[in-house]
């Protein structure tokens, strides 16, 4: 009798969910997950012949089902209840918040990128030019928490260290700060926070023979206390609370001009405050990622230039580096590697490569940029 009642209740829930899904407005973008959704279900005869219409239907229903947010939360709570801390490649750790596992890394991708970076460094050095390579770790690298993919993550680091001579990874300094009780990464996001970014900045300054500005030179500005990052969205653990998002401000930081590849001025200053209340809070730095940016101090001339090849980890470091240089910033994931401005930038004297080990082991855009880049 109990099972029959449960079956009837389940059937009623499915029917109500299907009706609600049919009548509710469809979304083409999930702000929560920061990705496009399947908002319209369409088939071709080829889909029907190949059976792909079933896969498309399942994806459509999974992304547009009414109450999807609640269902994601129930699923994650169920996983925790049966003793599984991991959900969709994200592990709940308690002390350190959410941590991405390393199961999605690819050793072959890491090797391809490391080889390309090493060849680029050697060519620049042959011309008497400077290239510094700084690599950001994953949060799992600095916490010691077992979260899956440890062997693969270790293999990736071995490949990078063996293939890419002279690169400095920032694991140790961040690990030491974390061991001392400092929070250097966001609890709900895969990026370092501003404290972690400042630690990276100080290490870069040491590499470039600069004197870094100390922590005391900045004023902490709290933007919001409900920030929920990329790992929060991916994990489905939507019952977790938010965290504080802060900026480290300094006098004159609003006097920088940020322009894109077409010469259009994107913004004044380093921060796009329109993102302070949006889901993608980390995009408050420059409005997110752009293939090509120029960051120059509007009221200064004849400053030395630094070319930064980066991923999103560098976004929160750039305001610190702008204290010392005019910056040309290239994100290989969003730019044509044969663009004339990009090729000209790669021929500049001072180049910094600053990106995360996760990008190196999952995305070949760095190799595409640096291979046959036309440097002199």
């Amino acid at each position: 009798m109990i099972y029959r009642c449960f079956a009837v209740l389940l059937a009623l829930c499915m029917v109500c969910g299907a009706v609600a899904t049919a009548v509710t407005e469809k979304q083409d973008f999930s702000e929560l997950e920061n990705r496009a959704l399947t908002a319209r279900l369409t088939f071709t005869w080829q889909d029907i012949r190949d059976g792909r219409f079933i896969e498309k239907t399942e994806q459509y229903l999974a992304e547009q089902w009414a109450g999807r947010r609640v269902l994601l939360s129930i699923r994650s709570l169920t996983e925790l209840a049966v003793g599984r801390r991991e959900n969709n490649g994200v592990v709940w750790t308690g002390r350190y918040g959410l941590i991405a596992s390393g199961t999605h890394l690819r050793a072959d991708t890491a090797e391809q990128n490391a080889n390309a970076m090493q060849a680029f460094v050697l060519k620049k050095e042959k011309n008497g030019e400077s290239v510094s390579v700084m690599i950001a770790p994953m949060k799992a690298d600095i916490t010691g928490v077992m979260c899956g993919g440890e062997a693969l993550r270790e293999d990736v680091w071995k490949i990078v260290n063996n293939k890419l001579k002279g690169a400095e990874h920032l694991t140790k300094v961040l690990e030491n700060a974390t061991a001392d009780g400092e929070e250097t990464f966001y609890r709900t996001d895969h990026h370092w926070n501003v404290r972690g970014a400042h630690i990276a900045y100080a290490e870069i300054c040491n590499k470039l023979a600069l004197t870094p500005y100390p922590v005391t030179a900045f004023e902490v500005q709290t933007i919001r206390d409900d920030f929920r990052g990329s790992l929060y969205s991916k994990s489905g653990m939507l019952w977790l609370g938010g965290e504080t998002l802060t900026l480290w401000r300094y006098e004159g930081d609003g006097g920088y001009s940020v322009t894109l590849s077409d010469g259009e001025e994107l913004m004044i200053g380093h921060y796009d405050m329109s993102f302070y209340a949006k889901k993608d809070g980390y995009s408050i730095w420059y409005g997110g990622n752009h293939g090509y940016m120029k960051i120059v101090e509007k009221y200064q001339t004849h400053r030395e230039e630094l070319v930064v090849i980066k991923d999103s980890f560098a976004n929160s470091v750039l305001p610190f580096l702008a204290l010392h240089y005019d910056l040309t910033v290239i994100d290989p994931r969003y730019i044509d590697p044969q663009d004339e401005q990009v090729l000209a930038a790669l021929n500049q004297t001072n180049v910094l490569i600053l990106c995360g080990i996760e990008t190196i082991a999952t995305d070949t855009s760095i190799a595409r940029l640096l291979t046959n880049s036309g440097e002199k």
Side-chain angles (χ1 to χ4, degrees), residues 102-154:
T103 54
H104 61 299
L105 304 180
R106 293 183 59 92
D108 58 341
T109 300
E111 184 170 9
Q112 184 177 349
N113 284 320
N115 285 335
M117 284 190 283
Q118 179 65 14
F120 180 73
V121 170
L122 291 177
K123 289 178 181 179
K124 299 294 281 184
E125 289 180 347
K126 185 178 179 181
N127 293 333
E129 298 169 340
S130 172
V131 180
S132 300
V133 181
M134 312 291 283
I135 302 174
M138 295 176 65
K139 195 193 302 186
D141 294 316
I142 67 168
T143 60
V145 174
M146 302 295 287
C147 59
E150 280 77 18
L152 181 54
R153 206 167 61 245
E154 184 178 347

Side-chain angles (χ1 to χ4, degrees), residues 261-281:
S261 59
D262 59 3
E264 178 184 355
E265 189 168 67
L266 173 68
M267 55 194 291
I268 299 294
H270 305 294
Y271 310 111
D272 186 343
M273 291 301 181
S274 69
F275 280 89
Y276 87 96
K278 293 182 180 179
K279 168 63 181 66
D280 188 16

Side-chain angles (χ1 to χ4, degrees), residues 1-58:
M1 183 65 179
I2 295 176
Y3 293 113
R4 185 176 298 173
C5 290
F6 178 78
V8 172
L9 181 61
L10 181 61
L12 284 173
C13 289
M14 294 295 291
V15 171
C16 291
V19 172
T21 301
V23 300
T24 54
E25 183 179 354
K26 304 302 179 286
Q27 293 182 311
D28 57 8
F29 185 82
S30 170
E31 188 176 4
L32 172 67
E33 299 163 275
N34 195 31
R35 69 180 181 90
L37 300 177
T38 305
R40 187 174 301 171
L41 192 57
T42 58
F43 299 122
T44 65
W45 283 112
Q46 187 67 36
D47 292 331
I48 297 174
R49 285 196 298 267
D50 297 345
R52 285 182 295 184
F53 75 96
I54 297 176
E55 180 182 341
K56 284 189 172 183
T57 303
E58 289 177 347

Side-chain angles (χ1 to χ4, degrees), residues 117-346:
M117 284 190 283
Q118 179 65 14
F120 180 73
V121 170
L122 291 177
K123 289 178 181 179
K124 299 294 281 184
E125 289 180 347
K126 185 178 179 181
N127 293 333
E129 298 169 340
S130 172
V131 180
S132 300
V133 181
M134 312 291 283
I135 302 174
M138 295 176 65
K139 195 193 302 186
D141 294 316
I142 67 168
T143 60
V145 174
M146 302 295 287
C147 59
E150 280 77 18
L152 181 54
R153 206 167 61 245
E154 184 178 347
D155 286 344
V156 165
W157 277 113
K158 284 181 179 178
I159 289 169
V160 170
N161 291 333
N162 290 335
K163 298 284 185 179
L164 188 52
K165 306 299 182 183
E168 295 186 19
H169 55 82
L170 298 158
T171 305
K172 195 61 179 178
V173 289
L174 292 165
E175 185 180 42
N176 290 341
T178 302
D180 289 340
E182 294 194 76
E183 289 197 5
T184 57
F185 277 70
Y186 293 109
R187 295 176 59 79
T188 63
D189 196 84
H190 67 288
H191 293 107
W192 48 36
N193 58 22
V194 189
R195 174 55 180 147
H198 184 269
I199 291 172
Y201 154 72
E203 289 298 303
I204 293 169
C205 285
N206 292 336
K207 181 76 172 178
L208 299 178
L210 300 171
T211 300
Y213 285 77
V215 172
T216 54
F218 305 94
E219 180 181 348
V220 177
Q221 178 184 2
T222 299
I223 298 299
R224 57 193 290 187
D225 57 9
D226 62 346
F227 171 60
R228 295 173 174 88
S230 59
L231 297 182
Y232 167 86
S233 303
K234 186 178 180 182
S235 71
M237 301 180 191
L238 308 184
W239 39 268
L240 293 175
E243 59 183 315
T244 302
L245 180 67
T246 62
L247 304 176
W248 287 16
R249 306 298 301 269
Y250 53 86
E251 185 177 356
D253 66 0
Y256 290 81
S257 175
V258 182
T259 57
L260 300 179
S261 59
D262 59 3
E264 178 184 355
E265 189 168 67
L266 173 68
M267 55 194 291
I268 299 294
H270 305 294
Y271 310 111
D272 186 343
M273 291 301 181
S274 69
F275 280 89
Y276 87 96
K278 293 182 180 179
K279 168 63 181 66
D280 188 16
Y282 190 76
S283 288
I284 198 167
W285 282 275
Y286 307 104
N289 297 303
H290 305 277
Y292 182 94
M293 289 192 303
K294 294 278 290 187
I295 305 173
V296 301
E297 195 171 6
K298 289 179 70 70
Y299 308 110
Q300 294 286 337
T301 57
H302 308 302
R303 293 214 306 166
E304 190 175 357
E305 182 177 352
L306 178 68
V307 177
V308 182
I309 299 171
K310 62 91 179 178
D311 65 5
S312 55
F313 268 89
N315 292 2
S316 53
V317 182
L318 295 175
F320 298 127
L321 292 176
L323 285 163
H324 306 271
Y325 298 101
D326 284 341
L327 302 173
T328 297
V329 183
I330 298 170
D331 192 325
R333 299 169 298 171
Y334 303 100
I335 198 70
D336 178 359
Q338 295 302 316
D339 182 277
E340 290 186 4
Q341 292 180 99
V342 172
L343 294 176
L346 295 179

